[in-house]
Amino acid sequence: MPVRHTQRCVRDVPRSGPVTPGPEKECPVSDSDVAPLETAYGVQHHVTRADAPGRPAHEGGPEMVQLLTPEGERVPHAELDAIVDALSDEALRGLYRDLVLVRRFDTEATALQRQGELGLWASLLGQEAAQVGSGRAMRRQDYAFPTYREHGVAWCRGVDPVNLLGMFRGVNHGGWDPNEKNFHLYTIIIGAQTLHATGYAMGVQRDGDVGTGDERRDTAVIAYFGDGATSQGDVSEALVFAGVNNSPVVFFCQNNQWAISEPNEKQSRAPLWHRARGFGFPGIRVDGNDVLAVYAVTQQALDAARSGQGPTFVEAFTYRMGAHTTSDDPTKYRVSAEVEVWKHRDPIERYKRWLLTTQRADASFFEAVEAEADELGTSVRERCLAMPDPDGSSMFDHVYADPHPVMAREKAAFEAYHASFEEVR
Amino acid sequence: MAATTLAKGITTGLRAAMEKDPKVVLMGEDIGKLGGVFRVTEGLQKDFGEDRVIDTPLAEAGILGTAIGMALRGYRPVVEIQFDGFVYPAFDHIVSQVAKLRARSLGYVAMPLVIRIPFGGGIGAVEHHSESNEAYFAHTAGLRVVAVSNPHDAHWMIQQAIASDDPVVFYEPKRRYWDKGEVGDGPDGALGTARVLREGTDVSLLAYGPMVKTCLQAAEAAQEEGRSLEVVDLRSLSPLDGEAVLASVRRTGRAVVVHEASTFLGLGAEIAAMVTEEAFHHLEAPVLRVGGYNVPYPPSRIEEEFLPDLDRVLDAVDRSLAY
């Protein structure tokens, strides 16, 4: 099956309403084609240093797509409302359940680290909506390439949360089968997974699983990364490869404002979502604390990818409420007033308010979710403590697929050495 | 099969692998219409199409990173690094991802990648085009590293490397690309094995890649002086074929390791340690190394003084026999 090589012209893709695969348009290049900077989503923005001068760094700006204000008020949106309206009340309540359970799991993991049961934990606190909204926009056949903080995406993919604890407890380096839930192993090297995602998407193209119109076949790939990762060459190379190959991949950047201690201004002079234009495909900024907006924007981008329209860069504007990891002390580099501002934008509170005021959920629903969260916390704790340390000799297993004399020799020597102590006893 | 060059041996090996398995794809810079700067992939894009012989953007990390993704999707990418000294931008993906993904996933994920690297000097090239960086990769668990020295092995070992479910770094001696030889009907042993190319009784010459020919010439010259040198083509640098090396050294009692790479912590150091540990009582002399000096690869006008040649090999043989 041939790969689509025809480049979609950014200007010619309105992407309003549901994306329908149409005939690919020729994309003549001239100066006048390069000048306009309207995005494919029709949102106006300004070319400025970083964000608009005078705007506080933590304001997403008028170009940020938001469907739900921090107060829980629904903001109408001509293009995206249809996507949200298509969700049943049950599905809408399901998003809330996801947000709460993911946060509960994360809280439990942080507690486990504090009690010495995990060596480290990278909390997602504050980023639940960005992860649940995007994770729930995926279809079964889609594939996610996470960093080490995508616990919420893992949850949406159906990965057992206890699997995520293994590497932080030190019993493995990941250890789950990525192909079982189409959720790749956590990647610690910053930005590397964006290239893996792009290569996977190139494979999808070669399998002919793009643009067939078959909902169960057309496949998109989503690469997760953070604001710090955008400085890595790997991320730029991934944008190049995805762009020139028109690959079905969504670059989902969670801009949580901080790369450990360095604020976003130290990573980029321009708003992150502006990068996409330079690589020849659309970029969009979405309120990462608004689960409905993230869901709608991601679904639109994934649909575009699946239908053969190529990549999209989504910047989810959010905030890391906790430390980078449990080894970090954010009080050394950021002020509490900033954290207070973002507390007001909490993704769960605003969504709960909206569900209540629109009478999509009642008190008994919220009580049931709380009870389920407590059960999850208890179960995660019990199963974490029950995780056995691996056998020392297992370090030689799985290094190579085919027989390898060094592995065989060293494993035998390791076992003989330890057996020699037992004989002394 | 008629005599062919080492470069064409790889071409025909690639072609055979691609005909056999539709999941085999080639990725690299200028490998399509141009056929690669050494023409190793010449004609393959024409016959297999642009989706299987992929001209990539000029970014080595990007090539390796996307090849990993292709492998995760079930493909068997064969990556061409244009020159030895250009592999470093991809080093992170090779060492941190390709080598470790199988172990990280407890065996769920395979990484059947082949990374082809033309290596070594002697062609009068500018900087970064003449390096021998195999020790970096041989040091990395999870990778297999091989080096071919002749058209027969080139043809068969590239197919063995592609068929392996493990990642293989495949070194091609660029100054021997145009050397001709017969290609036989099947591979000489499994991937990972060495081959004795010339039997002898006095000293074992242990070499790989471009230095195999140099050692065969040295053995020929030594014979005229009445000395019998054995030449072992290591072929595999990780794992080393310890049995073959030790068997040869136990026969001769003397070993000289020859490679273009700088000697400090090179393959020669590992082989010397292995022979000392495993065949100490068979040794008549210390294991000697002939290799590049421990300097950055010099400008081409003086590269011949950096590279081991027939005389430097024979000088080491003299020193070994003098013990």
Side-chain angles (χ1 to χ4, degrees), chain A residues 2-3 5 173 175-178 184-185 189 195-196 199-200 203-204 206-207 209 234 237 241 398 400-404, chain B residues 23 51 54 57 59 61-62 65-66 69-70 72-73 75 92-93 102-106 108-109 142-144 164 166 239:
Chain A
V3 175
H5 290 291
H173 292 314
W176 62 82
D177 178 0
H184 189 57
L185 297 163
I189 301 293
L195 278 166
H196 307 159
Y200 191 93
V204 168
R206 279 158 181 77
D207 291 339
D209 294 339
D234 274 6
E237 292 188 20
F241 276 66
H398 309 305
Y400 293 94
D402 299 332
H404 194 285
Chain B
K23 291 293 187 184
D51 292 342
I54 305 167
T66 51
M70 295 269 285
L72 292 169
R73 181 70 184 182
Y75 286 83
D92 171 58
H93 281 280
R102 183 175 188 85
R104 186 182 303 149
S105 69
L106 299 180
Y108 286 116
V109 166
L143 302 175
R144 292 175 186 270
S164 172
D166 290 318

Side-chain angles (χ1 to χ4, degrees), chain B residues 32-231:
Chain B
K33 284 198 175 78
L34 182 66
V37 295
F38 291 107
R39 309 293 182 265
V40 169
T41 55
E42 194 159 48
L44 296 177
Q45 190 182 64
K46 184 170 155 286
D47 293 344
F48 293 98
E50 293 184 11
D51 292 342
R52 293 189 66 195
V53 181
I54 305 167
D55 268 328
T56 65
L58 209 169
E60 286 79 10
I63 297 170
L64 257 297
T66 51
I68 290 165
M70 295 269 285
L72 292 169
R73 181 70 184 182
Y75 286 83
R76 301 183 92 85
V78 182
V79 167
E80 176 174 303
I81 299 294
Q82 200 159 68
F83 282 90
D84 36 55
F86 301 171
V87 74
Y88 307 118
F91 195 74
D92 171 58
H93 281 280
I94 299 173
V95 170
S96 300
Q97 309 294 336
V98 172
K100 295 182 170 76
L101 266 167
R102 183 175 188 85
R104 186 182 303 149
S105 69
L106 299 180
Y108 286 116
V109 166
M111 272 290 116
L113 251 79
V114 176
I115 303 164
R116 294 181 39 238
I117 306 181
F119 83 124
I123 61 164
V126 294
E127 199 182 6
H128 313 300
H129 290 66
S130 302
E131 301 189 5
S132 298
N133 43 29
E134 60 275 12
Y136 296 137
F137 300 111
H139 184 71
T140 302
L143 302 175
R144 292 175 186 270
V145 183
V146 303
V148 294
S149 70
N150 59 68
H152 173 85
D153 280 347
H155 176 82
W156 290 109
M157 283 172 65
I158 190 68
Q159 295 181 66
Q160 291 175 313
I162 293 168
S164 172
D165 279 336
D166 290 318
V168 179
V169 184
F170 192 90
Y171 277 98
E172 303 169 5
K174 65 171 88 77
R175 68 161 131 162
R176 310 294 186 212
Y177 266 144
W178 305 281
D179 285 5
K180 285 193 168 182
E182 297 287 330
V183 174
D185 289 336
D188 292 324
L191 200 69
T193 59
R195 250 179 98 197
V196 177
L197 293 186
R198 181 186 174 109
E199 293 189 349
T201 54
D202 296 337
V203 178
S204 298
L205 298 181
L206 311 171
Y208 55 89
M211 285 294 102
V212 171
K213 183 177 180 182
T214 305
C215 288
L216 287 169
Q217 290 169 339
E220 196 67 34
Q223 190 176 31
E224 292 167 17
E225 297 168 12
R227 287 169 175 172
S228 169
L229 306 187
E230 179 150 301
V231 179

Side-chain angles (χ1 to χ4, degrees), chain A residues 6-29:
Chain A
T6 313
Q7 296 301 301
R8 147 178 73 104
C9 180
V10 174
R11 287 185 62 210
D12 287 338
V13 181
R15 288 218 196 149
S16 52
V19 177
T20 46
E24 310 250 12
K25 294 185 179 171
E26 289 301 310
C27 185
V29 176

